[in-house]
């Protein structure tokens, strides 16, 4: 089983990278680990492991110059003089503002909209998804952005990692959680509007439970404001404390 980076930890690492850069220092692994440990109390080993996993899934860029490794936010990469040719499209170089304009785009919704719009039984390729999105007039401000293609690919990769999409070779399909049908299903069933109270078994009452993390691991929203800026309850794991929006289990 492929191990994936925890989205919450990735967000903390990205914050640490920005913090180190504001101090006019190079975002090295040591400085990033120190910043995350100081701000959130994680141990250095966990931060280092999550940093490498985030690099593997494309959430964080790793660049090497003269044998020294630094880490960058793909949405705010800055200069790429030390990146190998072809790693980053030329159109993205120097376009920090263009990348920032795509920071708040919900790529999960765009990908799902394209795949459901294409209605291809065996799934849709990223090329067809991009072509479909470029044909939508209301998305002109997004697909005209020079970083659009790069961010679309990263969004698709994250959607697969998070279980929102299924990938079979080059083809992508929406993951309906076993409720797939030919038409785009509406998730009216599956979860009640409010969950009943949980009754613990006698042997569970004295067991330690992890403090719940008050941020959704998928969209980084809170119970006061989800990805749609609406209040939504979080469901937390008793073992590790990771949380997810109840509605996110239906989407």
């Amino acid at each position: 089983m492929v191990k994936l980076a925890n989205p919450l930890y990735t967000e903390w690492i990205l914050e640490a990278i920005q913090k180190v850069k504001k101090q006019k220092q190079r975002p090295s692994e040591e400085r990033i680990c120190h910043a995350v440990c100081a701000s959130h109390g994680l141990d250095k080993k966990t931060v280092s492991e999550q940093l490498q996993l985030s690099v593997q899934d494309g959430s964080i860029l790793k660049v090497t110059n003269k044998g020294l490794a630094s880490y960058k936010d793909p949405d705010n990469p800055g200069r790429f003089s030390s990146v190998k040719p072809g790693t980053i499209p030329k159109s993205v170089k120097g376009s920090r503002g263009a990348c920032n304009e795509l920071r708040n785009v919900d790529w999960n919704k765009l990908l799902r909209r394209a795949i459901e719009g294409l209605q291809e039984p065996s799934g849709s390729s990223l090329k067809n998804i991009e072509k479909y999105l470029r044909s939508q007039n209301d998305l002109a401000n997004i697909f005209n952005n020079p970083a659009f293609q790069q961010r679309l690919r990263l969004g698709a990769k994250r959607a697969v990692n998070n279980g929102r999409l299924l990938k079979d070779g080059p083809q992508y399909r929406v993951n309906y959680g076993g409720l797939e049908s030919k038409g785009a299903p509406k998730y009216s069933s599956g979860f009640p509007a409010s969950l009943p109270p949980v009754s613990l078994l006698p042997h569970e009452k004295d067991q330690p439970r992890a403090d719940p993390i008050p941020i959704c691991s998928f969209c980084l929203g809170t119970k006061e404001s989800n990805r749609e800026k609406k209040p939504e309850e979080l469901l937390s794991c008793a073992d590790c404390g990771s949380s997810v929006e109840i509605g996110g289990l239906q989407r």
Side-chain angles (χ1 to χ4, degrees), residues 1-250:
M1 181 177 178
V2 179
K3 191 171 183 180
L4 306 176
N6 185 313
L8 176 61
Y9 294 163
T10 299
E11 190 70 14
W12 289 352
I13 292 171
L14 288 170
E15 290 174 357
I17 290 173
Q18 295 305 316
K19 182 177 180 180
V20 172
K21 288 177 67 177
K22 286 180 179 179
Q23 296 172 348
K24 306 299 182 182
Q25 295 180 319
R26 180 176 60 84
S28 64
E29 180 176 344
E30 183 178 357
R31 291 187 178 115
I32 292 170
C33 288
H34 181 270
V36 175
C37 291
S39 299
H40 302 285
L42 286 182
D43 60 277
K44 184 176 179 180
K45 181 180 179 182
T46 300
V47 179
S48 180
E49 179 185 49
Q50 291 297 316
L51 176 60
Q52 300 311 318
L53 291 174
S54 296
V55 170
Q56 291 175 25
D57 67 23
S59 303
I60 291 174
L61 296 177
K62 179 179 181 180
V63 295
T64 303
N65 185 25
K66 297 180 181 180
L68 298 176
S70 300
Y71 299 85
K72 295 177 178 287
D73 180 350
D75 282 339
N76 188 15
R79 295 179 292 108
F80 282 94
S81 56
S82 58
V83 182
K84 294 181 180 179
T87 303
I88 302 297
K90 291 182 180 179
S91 58
V92 180
K93 291 186 179 182
S95 59
R96 295 172 62 180
C99 290
N100 286 334
E101 290 173 6
L102 299 179
R103 182 181 289 276
N104 296 321
V105 173
D106 189 333
W107 295 103
N108 289 322
K109 286 186 177 180
L110 287 187
L111 288 162
R112 177 171 173 172
R113 171 178 169 178
I115 294 171
E116 292 181 344
L118 289 166
Q119 296 184 340
E120 296 176 299
S122 59
S124 303
S125 66
L126 203 56
K127 183 177 180 180
N128 286 348
I129 291 173
E130 181 182 347
K131 189 181 297 183
Y132 178 90
L133 293 175
R134 288 186 183 277
S135 70
Q136 306 299 299
N137 294 331
D138 62 317
L139 301 178
N141 64 318
I142 295 177
F143 63 69
N144 285 332
N145 190 296
F148 168 71
Q149 188 179 61
Q150 180 202 24
R151 300 300 296 147
L152 178 64
R153 291 181 181 278
L154 180 57
K157 190 170 186 177
R158 287 176 172 172
V160 172
N161 290 343
N162 290 335
R164 302 294 182 91
L165 295 183
L166 300 174
K167 189 173 186 241
D168 184 11
Q171 310 298 110
Y172 292 86
R173 294 183 295 113
V174 177
N175 183 6
Y176 295 122
L179 301 175
E180 291 185 89
S181 60
K182 290 187 177 180
K186 294 184 178 179
Y187 303 95
S188 58
S189 61
F191 290 89
S194 59
L195 296 176
V198 177
S199 298
L200 297 177
L201 296 176
H203 72 279
E204 295 178 315
K205 291 183 178 180
D206 296 328
Q207 291 184 353
R209 293 192 293 276
D211 293 333
I213 299 173
I215 300 176
C216 176
S217 295
F218 287 119
C219 72
L220 303 178
T222 64
K223 69 176 183 179
E224 289 82 13
S225 178
N226 64 9
R227 65 169 61 243
E228 297 174 351
K229 308 302 180 185
K230 298 178 181 179
E232 185 173 359
E233 289 298 322
L234 294 174
L235 192 62
S236 302
C237 174
D239 292 327
C240 68
S242 294
S243 303
V244 64
E245 294 172 357
I246 293 176
L249 300 174
Q250 297 175 265

